Amino acid sequence: MKESLVRNVFSKVASNYDIMNDAMSMGVHRLWKDHFIRSMAPARGAKLIDVAGGTGDIAQRFLEYQDQNGDSTSSVHMVDINPDMLREGEQRFANTKWQSDKRIGFTVGNAENLEFVKDEEFDVYTIAFGIRNCTHVDRVVREAHRVLKPGGRFMCLEFSRVSNPVLASLYDMHSFYVIPKLGELIANDRASYEYLVESIRKFPAQNEFAQIIRNEGFTTIGKGYENLTFGTVAIHTGYKF
């Protein structure tokens, strides 16, 4: 049921997704994603699987980072359950050097069952602003553990909980009133963006999600996450040892 709903929502928003991200976050999502890649600091030749990869902005940042650090061998495999979103990603990479060098690949697939991926195939697994839309979060993390090599890293960038009550009330006002209105004005689709806001509220808080990551076999350092912008989003990291 949720799978079908999510597929329909993202089919509707796919063509306006990047524009809406800029509008909803006032461009700050770009800074969050840049920091996400810097925090990863991937090794030369790293193989990344980017799940719920959508329009490809994480994959592009990864490849640009590696190129800037003199690495022309790293690669990304993008996975998304929604073919319309993945098509946006394919268009982003069309006629790029990464496509011609076969450093980017695309598969329509479910994060809960990456049946087309072998065990211990990737060095890094990323999922950015996507895991909250999955039906069984624990199964997603379990699959991440399976497809990572020993020593591999799971990294998740996701909306989270603001602890300061004053900031939290402002954040709620922005989420429940401003974001749906922007969806209506920019994408002519208020309902889909109301769903996106509700999905943020239903996702586990930072400590709870960190425990799910540990329960599925990952090792975390310290509390296992880094809050950004007062906890509006968090980067969760787990290591497969």
Side-chain angles (χ1 to χ4, degrees):
M1 178 69 177
K2 182 175 180 180
E3 221 172 88
S4 175
L5 173 64
V6 169
R7 189 178 289 112
N8 290 336
V9 165
F10 281 92
S11 288
K12 290 180 181 177
V13 304
S15 61
N16 293 297
Y17 189 70
D18 288 334
I19 296 170
M20 278 300 301
N21 279 342
D22 278 329
M24 289 189 302
S25 71
M26 294 174 287
V28 178
H29 77 101
R30 297 175 181 270
L31 301 178
W32 295 333
K33 291 168 182 174
D34 288 343
H35 181 70
F36 185 61
I37 297 297
R38 287 195 302 269
S39 299
M40 184 192 300
R44 294 175 66 87
K47 290 181 64 178
L48 168 68
I49 182 167
D50 183 33
V51 178
T55 59
D57 50 354
I58 294 296
Q60 182 176 348
R61 280 172 167 79
F62 170 83
L63 291 168
E64 287 175 343
Y65 181 93
Q66 295 300 78
D67 285 359
Q68 289 164 8
N69 286 278
D71 176 19
S72 60
T73 60
S74 292
S75 61
V76 187
H77 196 106
M78 278 178 54
V79 178
D80 202 290
I81 197 170
N82 188 289
D84 295 308
M85 289 290 286
L86 200 64
R87 199 170 297 119
E88 295 292 321
E90 289 176 323
Q91 290 174 4
R92 179 189 291 258
F93 288 99
N95 304 315
T96 64
K97 60 183 178 179
W98 301 307
Q99 184 191 51
S100 59
D101 291 344
K102 295 182 170 54
R103 294 174 61 196
I104 181 76
F106 309 90
T107 300
V108 175
N110 189 331
E112 296 182 19
N113 181 22
L114 301 171
E115 57 188 0
F116 52 90
V117 181
K118 296 182 294 187
D119 292 356
E120 301 183 350
E121 186 173 350
F122 290 94
D123 300 295
V124 187
Y125 175 115
T126 53
I127 183 164
F129 302 120
I131 199 166
R132 73 180 188 279
N133 297 307
C134 299
T135 306
H136 304 99
V137 172
D138 56 339
R139 293 182 191 175
V140 175
V141 180
R142 193 176 309 146
E143 271 292 84
H145 192 274
R146 180 185 69 79
V147 304
L148 282 169
K149 299 174 183 177
R153 186 164 23 158
F154 167 84
M155 294 188 69
C156 175
L157 177 65
E158 188 54 88
F159 287 108
S160 203
R161 304 288 173 85
V162 177
S163 57
N164 182 293
V166 176
L167 294 175
S169 64
L170 292 173
Y171 178 45
D172 283 345
M173 187 181 301
H174 177 75
S175 297
F176 287 105
Y177 296 101
V178 177
I179 290 177
K181 188 63 178 177
L182 287 172
E184 186 177 4
L185 293 172
I186 297 174
N188 194 29
D189 186 4
R190 183 183 183 93
S192 291
Y193 286 90
E194 286 177 335
Y195 161 77
L196 293 175
V197 170
E198 289 165 5
S199 70
I200 293 169
R201 291 298 175 270
K202 292 176 181 177
F203 190 70
Q206 290 94 317
N207 287 328
E208 185 181 349
F209 182 45
Q211 189 58 51
I212 291 172
I213 293 169
R214 287 188 286 269
N215 289 346
E216 297 305 328
F218 285 103
T219 299
T220 60
I221 296 174
K223 59 188 179 182
Y225 61 88
E226 176 189 4
N227 282 330
L228 304 179
T229 317
F230 309 105
T232 303
V233 302
I235 296 174
H236 286 263
T237 303
Y239 296 86
K240 180 177 176 177
F241 294 135

